[in-house]
Amino acid sequence: EVMCPAQVSGPSRLVASQISLSTEGAMAVWRCVLVATLASAATARMLGRTAAATAEVMCPGSPARQHASMRLSARVAARCRQVQGEMHARVGGQQQQWHDPHNRGSYELADFGGDMSCTRLTGDGRYTDRMIFTLTEDADGSCQVDACSESQVLSFLDSGTNYCNLKMLFCGSADGCMPVLHDFELLRETTRGSPGASVDLSACLRV
């Protein structure tokens, strides 16, 4: 009996002609190669679908031809009405019930599309970013959050600001955030930023 190796990266790792095996053994080796190849292809397709889904996230647009931006797709263990309720509570409860931990920025509700859209003025009062959130409830009761934040001025490096713009409105206590109405668990998250945009949750929580 031939056991498949724990790690097989492709046919180059196993060449039956280099192994002295019976016909049955050689067939078993090639079966291992086939299984590994199919698994690798499935993983690539899954990653491709994830990247495509992130790329299709609705964005608010920017007048600046070159600007920093971040697309985020996350799934959280809560109903979408709870997620949206929490986001509205944070924006509406600024300074009293909640404050933006990322340099004390200020959010305002807007109407750029999606299920919720906002602007955020940086703590120093110099820059305003725009963002859109689209929420889709899954059959299992979880909520898919697709969001995009874009700088509105000429920019390249953003020091994680566009990621923080989005993340700070729905992150839970497990991330170090302070919920107002609902605290929920993050199940998974993918991001896709412009060149120069970064993802750093610790920076988001630094006042």
Side-chain angles (χ1 to χ4, degrees), residues 11 26 76 83 86 98 102 118 126 132 136 138 151 160 172-173 180 189 198:
V76 297
V83 177
E86 175 63 22
W98 181 83
H102 183 53
C118 303
R126 296 178 62 189
I132 290 177
T136 306
D138 201 359
S151 300
S173 59
V180 177
E189 177 183 290
S198 58

Side-chain angles (χ1 to χ4, degrees), residues 37 40-41 62 68 71 76 111 124 139 151-152 157 179 193:
T37 301
S40 178
S62 171
R71 291 172 171 83
V76 297
D111 188 18
D124 58 11
S151 300
Q152 298 300 297
L157 299 174

Side-chain angles (χ1 to χ4, degrees), residues 120-204:
R120 178 183 177 273
L121 178 67
T122 54
D124 58 11
R126 296 178 62 189
Y127 305 108
T128 298
D129 302 324
R130 292 183 174 188
M131 63 212 74
I132 290 177
F133 297 84
T134 302
L135 310 180
T136 306
E137 191 153 313
D138 201 359
D140 63 3
S142 63
C143 184
Q144 175 74 24
V145 180
D146 293 309
C148 178
S149 173
E150 291 189 287
S151 300
Q152 298 300 297
V153 297
L154 180 68
S155 54
F156 182 71
L157 299 174
D158 74 348
S159 301
T161 294
N162 282 288
Y163 173 74
C164 297
N165 288 346
L166 305 171
K167 183 75 171 180
M168 291 302 94
L169 287 185
F170 69 91
C171 55
S173 59
D175 289 321
C177 299
M178 299 293 292
V180 177
L181 296 177
H182 307 288
D183 188 9
F184 28 77
E185 177 189 1
L186 176 67
L187 301 177
R188 66 174 179 268
E189 177 183 290
T190 59
T191 58
R192 182 177 180 180
S194 61
S198 58
V199 175
D200 183 357
L201 180 59
S202 63
C204 299

